[in-house]
Amino acid sequence: QICLSLVRLLFYLAHSPLGSIVLLDFQPRQFVMVDGNLKVTDLDDASTEELSCKEDNDCTLDFPTKSFPLKCSVVGKCEGINEKKNLFNAYRYFFTYLLPHSAPLALRPFLSDILNATGDLRYGINETLKAFETVLHLYKSGLYLQKRPLHLKDYISLKGFRMVEGEDYKCWPSYSHLGCLLSVHSAEEAAAICNSQAQCQSFIVTQRRTWTGRPLALFQSSPTDLIPDANAMVYIKRSASSGERL
């Protein structure tokens, strides 16, 4: 969410009515999330000036660890230097820390492509935004889910009950510090996740939603603490249940 919001902001800056705007003091502390959108808190160091040049050799974009040769345009300006500077700073301050770890395994190759392409400045802001929007579509639609044997058949469903939320085993990246609360596309994906975790014996798909509209599923190691809830359903591993317990 943070990276996508940042890319949308940089897309606007690259195509603003004032021209391409560069953030000269590009640091994480210069941004804040407001209603799920990243905002710039200080525009004192924003500029529309692009580096003047006489030849291509005047247009090297230097960073502490990398340098990029750019073209000198016919009007004597380094082509795209403001856009590229913003994008590489987004890569080194945000993408490298957030993208590799925050998506389902099937989507990580797509994010790695974005990471590598922006790190080498092979993508401009237009291509970067398009790539992010593609990943978002795959994520929201569930199209990233590989066809595999159904996992819900391994579970008994109890309609009209939910689990008591309390401290339980931890997982990453959990939406709760008390236990394992993850975003899922469906109960089927939740069952696959539960099967992949040795501690998990039961789960419930809650009514809570993430910013993408996906529900949150709560995974627990014990299915014994159940309370009535007409709008809920608990899924319990068949191997964890018995006729006596139920």
Side-chain angles (χ1 to χ4, degrees):
Q1 181 181 15
I2 293 172
C3 292
L4 174 62
S5 186
L6 176 59
V7 169
R8 287 172 173 168
L9 173 62
L10 297 186
F11 178 85
Y12 173 78
L13 294 179
H15 301 285
S16 84
L18 299 176
S20 182
I21 298 175
V22 63
L23 301 176
L24 298 175
D25 186 19
F26 197 114
Q27 299 283 342
R29 65 173 179 268
Q30 300 283 24
F31 301 90
V32 63
M33 290 293 286
V34 180
D35 296 328
N37 295 306
L38 208 66
K39 306 286 186 180
V40 182
T41 61
D42 185 2
L43 289 175
D44 288 345
D45 294 307
S47 174
T48 58
E49 292 294 321
E50 291 193 305
L51 186 64
S52 297
C53 58
K54 293 182 178 180
E55 57 183 24
D56 289 350
N57 288 338
D58 298 329
C59 292
T60 300
L61 183 57
D62 289 316
F63 292 96
T65 58
K66 281 189 176 183
S67 296
F68 300 96
L70 304 181
K71 297 290 185 180
C72 182
S73 71
V74 294
V75 296
K77 298 291 184 180
C78 296
E79 289 185 356
I81 191 167
N82 287 352
E83 172 188 328
K84 292 179 184 296
K85 189 170 185 179
N86 283 341
L87 189 55
F88 190 79
N89 277 328
Y91 158 81
R92 65 181 183 139
Y93 287 119
F94 287 89
F95 297 173
T96 54
Y97 297 105
L98 300 177
L99 287 186
H101 316 291
S102 56
L105 286 174
L107 287 178
R108 291 184 188 178
F110 294 93
L111 296 180
S112 293
D113 288 343
I114 294 174
L115 195 64
N116 293 331
T118 53
D120 294 333
L121 285 184
R122 287 185 286 108
Y123 278 2
I125 192 60
N126 294 356
E127 296 86 355
T128 303
L129 179 58
K130 183 179 179 181
F132 266 101
E133 296 284 5
T134 297
V135 174
L136 178 64
H137 172 68
L138 294 173
Y139 185 61
K140 292 174 68 173
S141 65
L143 291 173
Y144 68 91
L145 294 170
Q146 301 172 353
K147 291 185 178 180
R148 60 184 69 182
L150 297 178
H151 294 279
L152 272 179
K153 61 180 175 55
D154 300 329
Y155 293 80
I156 295 172
S157 59
L158 294 179
K159 191 172 182 180
F161 292 92
R162 64 179 173 86
M163 297 182 293
V164 176
E165 291 193 35
E167 190 165 356
D168 207 314
Y169 78 91
K170 310 296 192 299
C171 67
W172 193 90
S174 177
Y175 283 78
S176 169
H177 67 280
L178 294 176
C180 187
L181 186 67
L182 300 175
S183 165
V184 297
H185 177 259
S186 62
E188 179 60 41
E189 184 181 14
I193 292 173
C194 189
N195 279 358
S196 70
Q197 298 175 344
Q199 307 99 313
C200 184
Q201 297 298 314
S202 59
F203 68 88
I204 179 174
V205 180
T206 73
Q207 300 297 311
R208 283 175 283 174
R209 302 274 170 170
T210 69
W211 65 280
T212 61
R214 287 162 53 102
L216 292 174
L218 176 66
F219 302 87
Q220 290 193 326
S221 59
S222 171
T224 55
D225 297 326
L226 305 178
I227 57 176
D229 187 334
N231 298 315
M233 181 180 294
V234 175
Y235 296 87
I236 302 175
K237 273 185 180 177
R238 293 182 182 274
S239 58
S241 64
S242 67
E244 294 178 352
R245 176 175 292 173
L246 297 177

